[in-house]
Amino acid sequence: MTGDDRPAARSRLIGRRRRVFRAVAIGVAVVLAALAAAVLVVLHHLDGNISSVDLNKGLGTSRPSEIPRPNKPQQPMNILLIGSDTREGQRGHFGIVPGARSDTTILLHLNADRTLAYGVSIPRDSIVQRPPCKSADGSVDPGGRSMFNAAYSVGGPLCTVKTVSTITGVPIEHFVEIDFNGFRDMVNALGGVQVCLPYAVHDTVGHINLPAGTHTLNGYESLQYVRERYAFSGGGDVARTHRQQAFLASMASKALSAGTLANPIRLYRFMDAATRSLTTDTGLDSVTKLVGLARQLKGISKEHIQFVTVRTKPYAPNPDRLVWKPSAHKIWDAMIHDRPLPKSLRVGATTAAGQLEPGTGTAPGKHHTSKQETARARAARTDGLCASAPAAQ
């Protein structure tokens, strides 16, 4: 090649490289555009799965107001989580069909610093003073003294939110309702959820037949497990609430694990099943809004996400029902003033790490378990939950 040919050859080489670069750039742009379009389609589909209700429109100003905290970057947040059981068919207006009920209710508090969250379960058999509520047909139910879960049967999630905020004084900014029939699909999408049984269960009513030990339950088995009322603790509602808390903690841990978040197929299936199961207020009625809420929980360690149950005692006129103990007001005061749960009410709490919060009776370095620890282990066994405890002497 002569000296005169070299600039021409170099020019042709540069030209080929530019054409290749343009082709690659166009290809990448097309792929990114296709991915962006696919993401938008997926988000649109998932958003369309979610049903929503306007809390402000439905309840207006007839609920407590939060206490402003100008020195905090965020305000505390209270979210009512409702597990609804609609076994008799598809949901209608406000999620109400004949036989519909709220099977699980948890009031979740996120502190202003987003370093702590705790959920308080309200047993459905609690006797409470229910406020007037608008029913599905537009009439007004006068309320009165009744079982707590009657609120959902009367007016769906709106009446449940109004009832909880009225009897506790806690302002509730959002609610999330999960239909238990869709909950079954969520468990299957995760590949099952792990539970631990302290003893074998053979229940012909709940259709549960499992040996003692650790099991990974599929969707159907999980649904039967969280509904179970007869094989554990003689049908007690509080015992079932404790098992539901432990199951939800295990389920949340699986959903937030790398095995789910790093698996796009499993994550999509879970999100699809979850959104099909959801009814929320309009402040949480999209995947984007729900992801925003999840991000606020991201900085909270699993050990600092706690679940407790309102302390109760038998209702004198009917021992099969419950009333709250006077100590319940300490929980609601903690929420209203954005404080941690009192230590006396926190001992034995279930955490999102899937364990009971330890007590204070065992000194460091000792190899024995305190009487309090042993009592909690026995209570866990009665509730149908595994817990570390010394062998009986």
Side-chain angles (χ1 to χ4, degrees):
M1 182 180 296
T2 66
D4 293 339
D5 293 331
R6 288 174 184 168
R10 200 177 302 119
S11 178
R12 287 193 297 271
L13 179 60
I14 293 172
R16 283 197 298 272
R17 287 177 176 173
R18 286 175 176 170
R19 287 193 295 273
V20 171
F21 177 78
R22 281 198 297 269
V24 172
I26 292 171
V28 171
V30 169
V31 170
L32 291 177
L35 287 174
V39 169
L40 289 176
V41 169
V42 169
L43 287 176
H44 181 73
H45 169 73
L46 295 177
D47 288 349
N49 285 343
I50 303 173
S51 302
S52 64
V53 176
D54 190 331
L55 271 183
N56 292 325
K57 188 175 180 180
L59 298 180
T61 58
S62 60
R63 47 193 177 132
S65 300
E66 65 180 22
I67 299 174
R69 290 170 176 82
N71 297 326
K72 296 289 185 178
Q74 302 179 89
Q75 291 295 306
M77 185 183 298
N78 300 305
I79 307 168
L80 193 66
L81 309 178
I82 305 168
S84 62
D85 201 352
T86 55
R87 303 183 207 188
E88 298 185 29
Q90 298 298 316
R91 299 190 304 174
H93 186 58
F94 289 132
I96 304 169
V97 295
R101 68 211 73 166
S102 61
D103 207 59
T104 302
T105 305
I106 299 175
L107 183 54
L108 179 67
H109 177 77
L110 279 64
N111 72 347
D113 295 329
R114 301 302 190 260
T115 57
L116 175 69
Y118 52 87
V120 182
S121 291
I122 301 175
R124 69 178 194 171
D125 291 346
S126 301
I127 300 298
V128 300
Q129 187 67 30
R130 186 166 47 81
C133 285
K134 184 179 289 188
S135 62
D137 63 7
S139 62
V140 176
D141 181 274
R145 198 157 177 80
S146 67
M147 279 177 53
F148 169 72
N149 71 336
Y152 185 90
S153 298
V154 168
L158 285 180
C159 188
T160 303
V161 170
K162 184 177 182 180
T163 297
V164 174
S165 62
T166 299
I167 60 182
T168 66
V170 175
I172 299 174
E173 289 79 25
H174 301 290
F175 81 87
V176 176
E177 177 191 345
I178 303 175
D179 179 353
F180 270 9
N181 289 308
F183 159 92
R184 175 183 55 202
D185 297 331
M186 293 166 63
V187 173
N188 285 335
L190 289 173
V193 171
Q194 192 175 89
V195 301
C196 182
L197 303 179
Y199 43 79
V201 177
H202 302 289
D203 177 23
T204 56
V205 177
H207 305 291
I208 297 178
N209 291 283
L210 293 169
T214 300
H215 304 276
T216 298
L217 304 185
N218 63 30
Y220 174 80
E221 292 167 335
S222 297
L223 190 58
Q224 299 305 101
Y225 176 79
V226 297
R227 283 173 170 167
E228 170 60 50
R229 289 176 63 88
Y230 302 98
F232 303 108
S233 193
D237 191 45
V238 173
R240 187 177 67 145
T241 298
H242 292 162
R243 289 194 310 278
Q244 289 174 346
Q245 290 172 348
F247 185 90
L248 290 174
S250 181
M251 184 176 175
S253 182
K254 182 83 175 272
L256 295 172
S257 69
T260 299
L261 298 178
N263 185 328
I265 295 176
R266 174 177 286 181
L267 181 60
Y268 171 76
R269 287 175 177 169
F270 176 74
M271 291 295 293
D272 187 43
T275 51
R276 281 189 282 109
S277 307
L278 293 183
T279 299
T280 72
D281 65 281
T282 50
L284 294 176
D285 62 355
S286 73
V287 172
T288 302
K289 293 174 183 177
L290 290 170
V291 168
L293 175 61
R295 284 176 178 163
Q296 296 188 53
L297 289 165
K298 186 178 180 181
I300 306 177
S301 68
K302 291 180 181 180
E303 290 75 18
H304 289 161
I305 301 177
Q306 306 158 340
F307 295 94
V308 299
T309 302
V310 175
R311 302 289 174 85
T312 59
K313 60 184 179 180
Y315 178 53
N318 184 351
D320 291 332
R321 301 290 178 255
L322 304 167
V323 290
W324 298 351
K325 289 184 177 179
S327 61
H329 79 88
K330 297 179 181 179
I331 296 176
W332 316 132
D333 284 349
M335 284 190 175
I336 293 168
H337 296 96
D338 194 28
R339 296 192 298 257
L341 285 170
K343 191 171 184 178
S344 61
L345 302 178
R346 197 170 66 241
V347 172
T350 304
T351 73
Q355 59 191 8
L356 297 177
E357 180 168 302
T360 58
T362 304
K366 299 293 184 180
H367 299 287
H368 68 275
T369 303
S370 70
K371 292 181 180 179
Q372 294 95 330
E373 293 283 349
T374 302
R376 281 192 295 276
R378 288 174 179 165
R381 180 179 173 84
T382 300
D383 293 344
L385 296 168
C386 293
S388 297
Q393 300 297 316

